[in-house]
C-alpha cells in the first residue's frame, strides 16, 4: 500500500474542513432545503403536548353526491405531494382539477367528480395522548362549474 502524499493529505483535510463548515452553518442557519447540510426538522421537532395533531386528506364528491377518498391508490398522487403543495392549492383552488383528472384517468367508468377538497382532521391531544376527539377543517375546495 502506498503512503498518501502531502498534496493528498491537504486535499482530504481541506474537503473535510469544508464539509464541517457547511454542516455547522447549515445546522445553525439552514432549513430543510439545505439537507444534508441543514437540519431535517421533520424529525428534530415535536408539537406541544396539548396541541392537536393534523391528518391531511383529499376528498372528492361525485355527481351522485358520494364522498370518495382521493388517496394515492385512487389518484396516483401521494399525500406528501398534496401537503407540500397545499399553499399553492389554497392560492389557486382550480389546481385541484389535476387531482380530479388523475382520478378520472384511473377510474374511467366512475361518476365524474364535481368537487375536490383538502380536509385536515385535527385529532385532540392531551398531555401527549390522543383524546379520541377530532374536528375536520376544509382548507381548500374546488367545485366544477355547473
Amino acid at each position: 500500500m502506498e503512503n498518501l502524499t502531502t498534496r493528498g493529505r491537504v486535499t482530504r483535510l481541506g474537503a473535510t474542513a469544508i464539509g464541517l463548515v457547511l454542516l455547522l452553518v447549515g445546522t445553525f442557519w439552514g432549513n430543510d432545503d439545505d439537507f444534508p447540510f441543514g437540519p431535517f426538522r421533520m424529525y428534530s421537532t415535536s408539537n406541544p403536548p396539548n396541541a392537536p395533531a393534523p391528518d391531511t386528506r383529499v376528498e372528492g364528491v361525485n355527481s351522485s353526491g358520494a364522498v370518495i377518498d382521493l388517496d394515492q391508490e385512487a389518484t396516483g398522487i401521494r399525500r406528501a405531494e398534496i401537503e407540500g403543495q397545499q399553499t399553492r392549492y389554497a392560492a389557486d383552488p382550480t389546481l385541484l382539477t389535476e387531482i380530479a383528472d388523475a382520478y378520472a384517468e384511473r377510474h374511467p367508468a366512475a361518476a365524474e367528480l364535481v368537487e375536490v377538497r383538502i380536509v385536515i382532521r385535527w385529532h385532540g391531544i392531551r398531555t401527549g395522548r390522543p383524546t379520541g376527539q377530532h374536528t375536520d377543517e376544509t382548507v381548500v375546495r374546488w367545485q366544477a362549474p355547473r
Side-chain angles (χ1 to χ4, degrees), residues 51-55 121-126 129-136:
D55 181 18
R121 175 162 285 176
W122 294 95
H123 293 276
I125 304 290
R126 177 69 54 208
R129 308 301 258 170
T131 63
Q133 299 175 333
H134 67 269
T135 57
D136 288 344

Side-chain angles (χ1 to χ4, degrees), residues 13-30 36-38:
L13 286 173
T16 301
I18 290 170
L20 288 173
V21 167
L22 288 172
L23 188 60
L24 284 172
V25 168
T27 298
F28 292 108
W29 295 285
F37 296 107

Side-chain angles (χ1 to χ4, degrees), residues 8-102:
R9 277 191 214 112
V10 169
T11 302
R12 287 185 183 190
L13 286 173
T16 301
I18 290 170
L20 288 173
V21 167
L22 288 172
L23 188 60
L24 284 172
V25 168
T27 298
F28 292 108
W29 295 285
N31 59 40
D32 287 350
D33 293 336
D34 302 323
F35 186 79
F37 296 107
F40 200 37
R41 295 188 197 285
M42 182 168 114
Y43 296 112
S44 66
T45 61
S46 64
N47 293 335
N50 294 321
D55 181 18
T56 305
R57 69 180 186 275
V58 181
E59 299 176 339
V61 179
N62 68 18
S63 55
S64 65
V67 176
I68 298 157
D69 186 20
L70 298 177
D71 59 7
Q72 182 176 354
E73 188 175 319
T75 64
I77 302 170
R78 297 177 328 156
R79 185 175 89 170
E81 294 175 42
I82 302 295
E83 290 175 344
Q85 299 296 320
Q86 189 170 318
T87 54
R88 286 186 60 229
Y89 290 122
D92 184 6
T94 60
L95 293 174
L96 290 174
T97 58
E98 296 170 351
I99 298 169
D101 293 344

Side-chain angles (χ1 to χ4, degrees), residues 4 73 106 113:
L4 195 58
E73 188 175 319
R106 285 182 168 234
L113 295 177

